[in-house]
């Protein structure tokens, strides 16, 4: 196993553990607003996909980028949909 792959897997594992620990401490009333905001921030992933697309040269890279772009776009859209539904709860009814 290459040292770079091992370092990447270590960072990924630590990010999973820290993310789980942080999210598990959030009260249930704040979970939905926090997650909808985090999903909307995934637009940064879309920017990363565009930057990596400029440097990819093989088919497997393009396939992985397409999958990443698809999931990031779903996350961004879902974040905005959930936020809109939350804001609709506070609008006055006429």
């Amino acid at each position: 196993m290459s040292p770079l792959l091992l370092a990447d897997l270590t960072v990924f594992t630590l990010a999973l553990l820290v993310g789980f620990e942080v999210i598990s401490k959030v009260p249930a009333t704040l979970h939905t607003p926090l997650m909808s905001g985090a999903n909307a921030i995934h637009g940064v992933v879309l920017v990363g996909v565009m930057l990596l697309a400029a440097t990819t040269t093989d088919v497997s890279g393009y396939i992985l980028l397409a999958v990443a772009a698809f999931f990031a776009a779903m996350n961004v859209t879902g974040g905005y949909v959930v936020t809109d539904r939350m804001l609709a709860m506070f609008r006055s009814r006429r």
Side-chain angles (χ1 to χ4, degrees):
M1 186 180 291
S2 76
L4 289 176
L5 179 61
L6 185 60
D8 288 343
L9 287 174
T10 302
V11 170
F12 180 71
T13 304
L14 289 173
L16 281 174
L17 293 173
V18 170
F20 179 77
E21 192 65 30
V22 169
I23 293 299
S24 66
K25 303 288 189 236
V26 174
T29 55
L30 294 178
H31 190 266
T32 301
L34 175 68
M35 291 310 294
S36 68
N39 289 349
I41 292 172
H42 272 91
V44 173
V45 175
L46 289 172
V47 173
V49 166
M50 288 186 279
L51 291 173
L52 286 173
T55 63
T56 301
T57 58
D58 57 345
V59 175
S60 62
Y62 285 119
I63 291 171
L64 287 174
L65 285 171
V67 170
F70 175 74
F71 283 119
M74 278 187 5
N75 232 358
V76 170
T77 304
Y80 285 119
V81 168
V82 170
T83 302
D84 185 55
R85 288 184 67 190
M86 285 187 323
L87 291 174
M89 293 188 313
F90 296 103
R91 292 188 188 122
S92 61
R93 297 178 189 179
R94 294 176 191 216

